[in-house]
Amino acid sequence: MSNYDQLHRQCRTLENLFDSKLTSYNQLASSIARSKQDVEATGSSERWKDLERELEELLEKLEDANQQLSTFAREPELLSPAMLRTIQRHREIYQDNGRELRRTKTNVQNALDQANLLRGVRNDIDAYKSSAADALLSERGRIDSSHRMTDDILQQAYETRSEFGRQRTALGSINTRMMHVINTMPGINNLVSMIRSRRRRDSIILGVVIGLCSILLLSYIWH
């Protein structure tokens, strides 16, 4: 009976410890599911592995203790009905603990997978933001280059327009001088006409004088 009492107390201790560790395990699964941080960076995955290892070891010890209690159940005449019910209850608790551990392990794994998926999505978003920012910076550089080229073309256009203005002013000045020369040409023409008229008059006078002299000379000869 002393062995039975010892195994009974061992089962109770292991069951209580298992419940405590399992509660921490469930809380960790919930925190992983709610957390938006990197699971690896926060160390959640290491705590999960440690707790899972401890729970598996406790479950193995419970299995061993229950197997030893089962040897007493093979001789029911040596045990009271209350002892037999206790042995059966320990076996049921062990089975429930095994199912609960498997269920919780699945939940924790799902939480870890989800956290890793979210981390991957965030990394993809960050990478997309980075590439988008690089693309925007590159596009901004091209726009700035286009603006500089446009400014250069406009500057050249302004200089060309200024040069045309200077040439137009010079042509206007030349045109003014030409008009002034043209306006002074009628006076020159009048002077030339006066000179020609005087030459014709002198020629006529000279001809008349020569004619008179010729007539007087002929008259002298005839007499």
Side-chain angles (χ1 to χ4, degrees), residues 188-198 200:
I188 296 174
N189 290 332
N190 291 332
L191 179 60
V192 173
S193 298
M194 290 175 63
I195 293 171
R196 287 177 179 176
S197 298
R198 181 171 293 181
R200 281 195 301 270

Side-chain angles (χ1 to χ4, degrees), residues 138-154:
S138 178
E139 183 65 23
R140 181 177 178 179
R142 288 193 291 270
I143 292 174
D144 291 341
S145 178
S146 299
H147 288 170
R148 287 192 296 270
M149 184 181 298
T150 303
D151 292 339
D152 292 340
I153 293 174
L154 289 175

Side-chain angles (χ1 to χ4, degrees), residues 118-131:
L118 291 175
R119 183 184 60 182
V121 171
R122 285 196 296 271
N123 291 338
D124 292 341
I125 292 174
D126 293 339
Y128 173 77
K129 288 181 178 178
S130 178
S131 62

Side-chain angles (χ1 to χ4, degrees), residues 16 22 32 46 53 62 99 101 120 122 126 131 164 171 178 222:
N16 292 333
L22 189 62
I32 291 174
E46 293 300 324
R53 190 180 304 110
L62 271 174
R99 285 191 295 269
L101 178 59
R122 285 196 296 271
D126 293 339
S131 62
F164 284 162
L171 289 174
M178 290 180 65
W222 289 343

